[in-house]
Amino acid sequence: MLRPGLTVLVRMGRESGETASEAAMEQCASVEREVDKVLQKFLTYGQHCEQSLEELLHHVGQLRAELASAALQGTPLSATLSLVMSQCCRKIKDTVQKLASDHKDIHSSVSRVGKAIDRNFDSEICGVVSDAVWDSREKQQQILQMAIVEHLYQQGMLSVAEELCQDCSLPLQESTLNVDLDFKQPFLELNRILEALHEQDLGPALEWAVSHRQRLLELNSSLEFKLHRLHFIRLLAGGPEKQLEALSYARHFQPFARLHQREIQVMMGSLVYLRLGLEKSPYCHLLDNSHWAEICETFTRDACSLLGLSVESPLSVSFASGCVALPVLMNIKAVIEQRQCTGVWSHKDELPVRPSREVWADGTGEDSRRELYSPLCWPPQIEIELGMKCWYHSVFACPILRQQTSDSNPPIKLICGHVISRDALNKLINGGKLKCPYCPMEQNPADGKRIIF
């Protein structure tokens, strides 16, 4: 019995992976329904518990008052009062037992949430990646710990990051002290400035922007202008008393007049309505609080770009990407295991995928091309759509090898205009000549030109 084609396996895994998002949503909804039931029971139990205890307290309070009255009068405890005390004790005992029983029911509901999670989510995901990816378990732990620390620094949780460093015994002392101070310094500075911006204090951000003016200009950043504009708007919000100060501050707009002429004209025009109140003028949009959220986003983006940092932490991006890619990879692996082809899942960094005839170089799917292109297509990368938010730069995947090009294997443009990778070009050379895989043109391999995107 012949082993099924790997292309069929991957296609089946991909097709099942395409429905993974819908299945994941249904799984989450199933767990959420169980959680809602638990929360509703907690709410009902809390209300019932509070009401029952209030009734008991009221009843005990009344009984205590009667006992105190009888003690003041010096009369012996009557049979009626003794009976009431016995009934009160019995009622307290019954109420406590009822509350304890209801509390046990909540435990069973919480247990059902755990069972729903186990039922709807596969907890074993380690099989998708080989252990050989990591040099050692210690190296794996260190990389993960450093990723978490960087995420905490980027989120402004400085004390938590320091505590984690101490608990994990990360190399933050002795010979690596200077390196680690350099590592932390950008995050400390960014968080200090962002905290000031959240408190509507523009001073630290303006000071930083002025000190990095030249580098910001090289990035075509308008951060400094937006900070000056926001400070000018704050002066306008002060009313006619701040008019002279606003006019004096307007000189800061001079270096930006060529690029932001229209915006400067709008701000200058708003001075006409200053005595009447900007709130009821055509320039009321200048007082919108959304400008503060915008300046925080602009500062974060430009500062991270200037300092060589990502706007979002690598850990959060990797986690979000993994949530999208993992269902597809797990379905592919499941199909491979069902077809008893587990031996192909042995590569360290790539998955075992052969392109089908439909995606061969010439697009015809002719069997005559099988021997030419099949050896070139091992092992390609699986392409998984992560969405626009994960697009950071342009990439080129060779249509022959189905692999992303790199500095050591750059894209090459043939004289006919088609583009392939250098590795594919070298493998397609026959007798010192190269025949384009897309058109019948024969050419000299040396005529190919490297393309830089």
Side-chain angles (χ1 to χ4, degrees):
M1 177 177 171
L2 296 177
R3 186 173 67 177
L6 293 178
T7 301
V8 177
L9 298 179
V10 173
R11 187 185 300 117
M12 292 175 62
R14 186 184 295 277
E15 289 174 353
S16 59
E18 289 175 353
T19 61
S21 296
E22 298 178 2
M25 291 299 295
E26 178 58 32
Q27 291 167 346
C28 291
S30 177
V31 175
E32 188 176 9
R33 285 192 291 270
E34 294 294 335
V35 173
D36 289 340
K37 292 179 182 178
V38 173
L39 293 177
Q40 183 60 39
K41 283 193 174 184
F42 266 114
L43 180 62
T44 304
Y45 175 78
Q47 293 173 347
H48 174 65
C49 184
E50 184 177 358
Q51 181 179 358
S52 300
L53 291 177
E54 286 180 354
E55 291 177 356
L56 282 179
L57 289 173
H58 179 69
H59 189 66
V60 171
Q62 288 181 335
L63 180 58
R64 181 180 180 182
E66 292 180 9
L67 290 172
S69 176
L72 290 175
Q73 295 176 4
T75 58
L77 188 64
S78 64
T80 303
L81 197 56
S82 179
L83 178 63
V84 171
M85 288 181 62
S86 300
Q87 292 176 347
C88 180
C89 292
R90 189 179 303 110
K91 183 176 182 180
I92 292 174
K93 182 178 180 180
D94 293 342
T95 301
V96 171
Q97 290 179 347
K98 180 65 168 61
L99 293 177
S101 176
D102 294 343
H103 194 267
K104 289 182 180 179
D105 292 339
I106 295 180
H107 277 288
S108 62
S109 299
V110 174
S111 177
R112 281 195 290 271
V113 173
K115 293 178 180 178
I117 293 175
D118 295 337
R119 184 173 59 252
N120 289 281
F121 298 98
D122 189 350
S123 59
E124 181 54 49
I125 61 176
C126 299
V128 177
V129 180
S130 172
D131 291 337
V133 171
W134 307 99
D135 297 333
S136 64
R137 187 170 183 82
E138 292 73 17
K139 184 68 173 179
Q140 175 184 359
Q141 290 179 348
Q142 184 179 359
I143 292 175
L144 179 59
Q145 289 166 359
M146 289 303 298
I148 295 174
V149 168
E150 181 176 350
H151 174 78
L152 293 174
Y153 276 130
Q154 193 151 1
Q155 297 298 316
M157 304 178 185
L158 308 181
S159 59
V160 180
E162 294 291 345
E163 188 71 23
L164 178 61
C165 291
Q166 296 176 6
D167 291 345
C168 297
S169 299
L170 293 181
L172 295 181
Q173 298 177 354
E174 298 178 357
S175 61
T176 58
L177 180 60
N178 293 332
V179 175
D180 293 310
L181 286 176
D182 293 339
F183 171 77
K184 293 189 293 185
Q185 186 58 37
F187 299 108
L188 297 175
E189 187 175 19
L190 289 181
N191 282 287
R192 176 181 63 84
I193 296 175
L194 281 174
E195 287 178 2
L197 288 176
H198 289 148
E199 297 175 0
Q200 299 189 357
D201 180 7
L202 295 170
L206 274 170
E207 182 181 352
W208 184 91
V210 171
S211 63
H212 296 84
R213 175 178 297 169
Q214 187 58 41
R215 296 180 63 189
L216 288 172
L217 290 176
E218 293 173 0
L219 295 175
N220 294 322
S221 170
S222 59
L223 174 63
E224 185 180 355
F225 169 75
K226 290 183 177 180
L227 289 169
H228 286 303
R229 182 186 65 178
L230 193 54
H231 185 77
F232 183 84
I233 292 174
R234 290 190 68 182
L235 295 176
L236 294 180
E241 295 80 7
K242 296 286 185 177
Q243 183 174 2
L244 293 179
E245 187 177 350
L247 286 171
S248 176
Y249 191 83
R251 71 179 188 277
H252 290 92
F253 296 138
Q254 184 176 356
F256 312 100
R258 184 174 61 86
L259 297 177
H260 303 278
Q261 179 180 358
R262 176 59 182 166
E263 295 172 88
I264 295 174
Q265 290 174 344
V266 170
M267 286 186 289
M268 294 297 103
S270 66
L271 292 170
V272 177
Y273 293 89
L274 196 58
R275 295 186 179 278
L276 300 177
L278 291 182
E279 297 82 0
K280 300 179 181 179
S281 72
Y283 299 93
C284 59
H285 64 278
L286 294 177
L287 304 178
D288 196 335
N289 285 329
S290 63
H291 293 304
W292 288 100
E294 179 187 353
I295 200 64
C296 289
E297 294 177 2
T298 302
F299 171 77
T300 302
R301 182 184 66 250
D302 293 349
C304 288
S305 178
L306 193 67
L307 298 173
L309 303 173
S310 58
V311 177
E312 297 184 47
S313 75
L315 181 63
S316 62
V317 174
S318 300
F319 181 81
S321 302
C323 290
V324 176
L326 192 59
V328 179
L329 300 181
M330 293 185 68
N331 277 286
I332 292 174
K333 181 172 176 60
V335 172
I336 290 177
E337 290 177 344
Q338 290 172 4
R339 297 302 181 94
Q340 299 180 354
C341 300
T342 55
V344 300
W345 196 285
S346 58
H347 285 271
K348 179 177 180 180
D349 296 324
E350 298 183 4
L351 294 173
V353 184
R354 278 185 205 268
S356 61
R357 288 186 297 171
E358 289 82 354
V359 295
W360 283 343
D362 61 354
T364 63
E366 296 178 0
D367 289 338
S368 60
R369 298 249 175 176
R370 179 185 297 275
E371 294 183 359
L372 177 60
Y373 293 112
S374 291
L376 301 181
C377 300
W378 184 268
Q381 298 172 343
I382 293 179
E383 182 177 347
I384 298 176
E385 180 61 47
L386 297 178
M388 288 288 294
K389 65 179 182 180
C390 290
W391 289 11
Y392 297 101
H393 53 79
S394 299
V395 296
F396 176 77
C398 176
I400 307 299
L401 297 183
R402 314 299 295 178
Q403 290 178 336
Q404 183 176 318
T405 54
S406 61
D407 292 338
S408 59
N409 180 30
I412 304 295
K413 185 176 78 70
L414 308 180
I415 59 175
C416 57
H418 294 113
V419 181
I420 60 177
S421 67
R422 178 179 289 171
D423 287 351
L425 182 146
N426 292 334
K427 293 183 179 182
L428 290 172
I429 297 175
N430 186 10
K433 291 291 185 179
L434 171 66
K435 183 176 181 180
C436 176
Y438 288 100
C439 64
M441 179 177 292
E442 287 192 359
Q443 49 201 290
N444 186 345
D447 293 335
K449 302 296 183 183
R450 176 176 179 176
I451 294 181
I452 299 177
F453 292 99

